[in-house]
Amino acid sequence: MALPPGMLPEIEPVSRESTAAVIARQLRDAIMTGALPPGTQLGETELAARFQVSRGPLREAMQHLVSEGLLRSERHRGLFVIDLEPGDVYDIYAARSAIERAAMLRALRGGDRDRIADLLEQTVVEMATAASEDDPSALSTADLRFHEALINASGSKRLVRMARTLLIETRMCLTALQSTYQRVEERVEEHTKLIQALRDGDEETALALLDAHMEDAVQRLAPGTSLTDGHAPPVPGNA
Amino acid sequence: MALPPGMLPEIEPVSRESTAAVIARQLRDAIMTGALPPGTQLGETELAARFQVSRGPLREAMQHLVSEGLLRSERHRGLFVIDLEPGDVYDIYAARSAIERAAMLRALRGGDRDRIADLLEQTVVEMATAASEDDPSALSTADLRFHEALINASGSKRLVRMARTLLIETRMCLTALQSTYQRVEERVEEHTKLIQALRDGDEETALALLDAHMEDAVQRLAPGTSLTDGHAPPVPGNA
DNA sequence: CCCTCTAGGATTGTCGACAATTTGCGTCCC
DNA sequence: GGGACGCAAATTGTCGACAATCCTAGAGGG
């Protein structure tokens, strides 16, 4: 170990990521941003040619996305990008509400409230920047990064893992219904208030704001449904 | 459609499940029950021979289990059954608490409280039977089935999906620390009270009982940690 | 005696080809 | 003209072999 530590940061093996992981990430992004619209069929042969790999690694990537819930697989038929029905929007936000509530609780009680608040504020700055530049896509990305950061801050491996798919699905929702969104100032403001409550250690307010945040989103994306009262989703595409 | 409906129930194609899914399920069970102890290395070649399939479908099954979090994959090294550290126990129950709280809320507000309560009571009967026969393994299985039923009753695809891995990990915990468990009557009683609160629609009591149930389990499995106050897990194996 | 380098074995990663299944269309019979 | 049957194309499922990578053990040199 002749090299002093800290000199060459992040010098990692040329291929630190498996081929399948790279492909999965690319497809994830494509699905998330809407480049691959819901319902499209993904042919293995075609994709293998596009990525210049064999069908083996590609299948692996696809299966990963299937188990994440982004693709649905029909045996001997093909793989399709999931399409989100109104019932799914309800379901996604109900699940997110559960996860983020838990994450917030752990952040509140975990100790480093100020450090976490600082991290979150960073993403709000990104939101504000995107808002001032009138870039809805970047705004949604920053929004999601806020929630991702909150969940990461919880320090729970499993909350993080479970949230990954949910946040991607959320992004799909936002992409699909980008236009019908609220005033950007309001959207930024909601997050700012959330951070303040966290910084103050005000559990009741923080959880209430979080619930309201989710409730707002659900009512905007799937009008007529509600998280708090157990009102049935319009299209119950659930098990 | 000459056949009257309801006559031949569940007549499905001979092989409705993919090969990989069958293998994955078998391995899942083996891991869950402790037949494959934590830390075991799973060689692809060896397993492929045991299951009499090629490495293709087998790899697919393995990758599925990896993404579920039951196996950990070290590139070019092999696949290993995860071993749960005390910090993981904390993490598992924190996540379960979040999921089951949400499921309980939806069950409470969803409508069919009595129907759900009946379903749950069925699993408690299983628990009582296992208890009277002094079969700890069956008791744990029934216990898990209670919670699985609760989450299924929520009607949320995503809660169900996220809970699957958690319940398997819970089973691993119970298997590993089977002996140090509480009085069986108490264990059955806790679930019974939970059902009663659900049937009554008493949200406050139901949620409090659920929290207490989780807190009890965590303190038994990982003494010194607590879910409710944010007390740090002893071995923070988290990100 | 310790460190380094090298060769061996074993395991995973990748590939191309073959087999099984499904779907859609064309044809034939009624 | 309507319906059922059967064929063919396309796609997924499966397989065995080859290549790349990593750990281990041993010899050699300092």
Side-chain angles (χ1 to χ4, degrees):
Chain A
M1 291 306 156
L3 286 166
M7 284 305 287
L8 296 168
E10 300 176 32
I11 185 175
E12 316 212 3
V14 234
S15 64
R16 49 172 276 285
E17 229 176 355
S18 91
T19 311
V22 174
I23 296 174
R25 190 158 41 76
Q26 294 207 22
L27 288 177
R28 234 188 307 254
D29 287 346
I31 294 172
M32 203 165 61
T33 61
L36 290 175
T40 44
Q41 177 167 9
L42 303 177
E44 292 185 358
T45 314
E46 178 201 336
L47 282 179
R50 283 174 64 89
F51 283 110
Q52 305 241 17
V53 293
S54 172
R55 273 180 53 212
L58 186 127
R59 265 178 81 84
E60 226 155 299
M62 301 296 254
Q63 226 217 31
H64 200 153
L65 294 180
V66 168
S67 76
E68 280 186 17
L70 266 64
L71 263 40
R72 111 189 98 84
S73 158
E74 300 184 13
R75 236 166 99 79
H76 292 289
R77 291 247 326 172
L79 295 155
F80 304 84
V81 180
I82 57 162
D83 38 3
L84 299 173
E85 305 168 26
D88 285 310
V89 176
Y90 175 87
D91 197 46
I92 289 166
Y93 275 85
R96 270 189 67 191
S97 193
I99 301 294
E100 298 204 29
R101 186 198 138 90
M104 178 62 89
L105 264 177
R106 289 188 64 162
L108 280 161
R109 296 170 178 173
D112 295 348
R113 291 208 307 271
D114 274 315
R115 188 184 58 79
I116 295 172
D118 289 343
L119 281 174
L120 294 181
E121 230 144 41
Q122 209 168 316
T123 68
V124 174
V125 170
E126 287 178 39
M127 283 183 69
T129 305
S132 70
E133 290 173 359
D134 199 42
D135 184 344
S137 174
L139 182 60
S140 292
T141 302
D143 191 336
L144 268 295
R145 285 193 52 174
F146 173 94
H147 294 277
E148 187 185 8
L150 173 62
I151 294 159
N152 283 336
S154 76
S156 166
K157 268 195 297 197
R158 284 162 187 83
L159 286 183
V160 170
R161 186 178 64 207
M162 295 187 300
R164 192 175 306 142
T165 305
L166 288 178
L167 291 181
I168 296 169
E169 289 176 312
T170 303
R171 186 64 155 87
M172 290 175 71
C173 292
L174 297 184
T175 302
L177 289 84
Q178 203 165 57
S179 50
T180 95
Y181 212 54
Q182 72 199 109
R183 292 186 19 250
V184 288
E185 299 90 1
E186 192 182 336
R187 193 168 169 189
V188 175
E189 177 74 6
E190 276 189 23
H191 292 85
T192 306
K193 285 197 287 190
L194 220 35
I195 294 176
Q196 191 56 46
L198 168 64
R199 209 184 278 281
D200 295 342
D202 185 347
E203 288 190 8
E204 204 172 342
T205 304
L207 295 180
L209 284 172
L210 197 58
D211 275 354
H213 189 62
M214 296 293 169
E215 178 77 26
D216 272 11
V218 139
Q219 294 203 359
R220 209 178 327 276
L221 293 172
T225 66
S226 168
L227 248 38
T228 50
D229 63 36
H231 234 43
V235 178
N238 299 333
Chain B
M1 288 303 162
L3 287 166
M7 285 304 288
L8 294 169
E10 299 176 33
I11 186 172
E12 315 211 2
V14 239
S15 64
R16 49 171 279 285
E17 229 177 355
S18 90
T19 311
V22 174
I23 296 174
R25 189 158 41 76
Q26 294 207 22
L27 287 176
R28 234 189 307 255
D29 286 348
I31 293 172
M32 201 166 62
T33 60
L36 290 174
T40 329
Q41 177 166 10
L42 303 177
E44 292 185 358
T45 313
E46 179 201 334
L47 282 180
R50 283 175 63 91
F51 282 110
Q52 304 241 18
V53 291
S54 172
R55 273 180 54 213
L58 187 127
R59 265 178 81 83
E60 225 154 300
M62 302 296 254
Q63 227 218 25
H64 199 159
L65 294 180
V66 168
S67 76
E68 280 186 18
L70 266 63
L71 263 40
R72 111 189 98 84
S73 157
E74 299 183 15
R75 236 168 98 79
H76 291 290
R77 291 247 326 172
L79 295 156
F80 304 85
V81 179
I82 58 161
D83 37 4
L84 300 173
E85 305 168 26
D88 285 310
V89 176
Y90 176 87
D91 198 45
I92 289 165
Y93 276 86
R96 271 189 66 190
S97 194
I99 301 295
E100 298 203 28
R101 187 198 136 89
M104 178 62 89
L105 265 177
R106 289 188 64 163
L108 280 161
R109 296 170 178 172
D112 295 349
R113 290 207 309 270
D114 274 315
R115 189 184 57 81
I116 296 172
D118 290 343
L119 281 174
L120 294 181
E121 229 146 41
Q122 209 168 317
T123 69
V124 174
V125 171
E126 288 178 38
M127 284 182 69
T129 305
S132 71
E133 291 173 0
D134 199 43
D135 183 344
S137 174
L139 182 59
S140 292
T141 301
D143 191 335
L144 268 296
R145 287 193 49 175
F146 173 94
H147 294 277
E148 188 186 6
L150 172 62
I151 294 158
N152 283 336
S154 76
S156 166
K157 268 195 297 198
R158 286 161 186 84
L159 286 183
V160 169
R161 186 178 64 205
M162 296 187 298
R164 192 175 305 141
T165 305
L166 289 178
L167 291 180
I168 295 169
E169 289 176 313
T170 302
R171 187 63 154 89
M172 290 174 71
C173 292
L174 297 183
T175 302
L177 289 85
Q178 201 167 57
S179 50
T180 96
Y181 212 55
Q182 73 200 107
R183 290 183 24 246
V184 288
E185 298 90 0
E186 193 181 335
R187 195 168 168 188
V188 175
E189 177 73 8
E190 276 189 23
H191 292 86
T192 305
K193 284 197 286 191
L194 220 36
I195 293 176
Q196 191 55 48
L198 167 64
R199 210 183 278 280
D200 295 342
D202 185 347
E203 289 191 6
E204 204 172 342
T205 304
L207 295 180
L209 284 172
L210 196 58
D211 275 353
H213 189 63
M214 295 293 170
E215 179 77 26
D216 272 10
V218 139
Q219 294 204 359
R220 210 180 326 276
L221 293 172
T225 66
S226 169
L227 247 38
T228 51
D229 62 38
H231 234 43
V235 178
N238 300 333

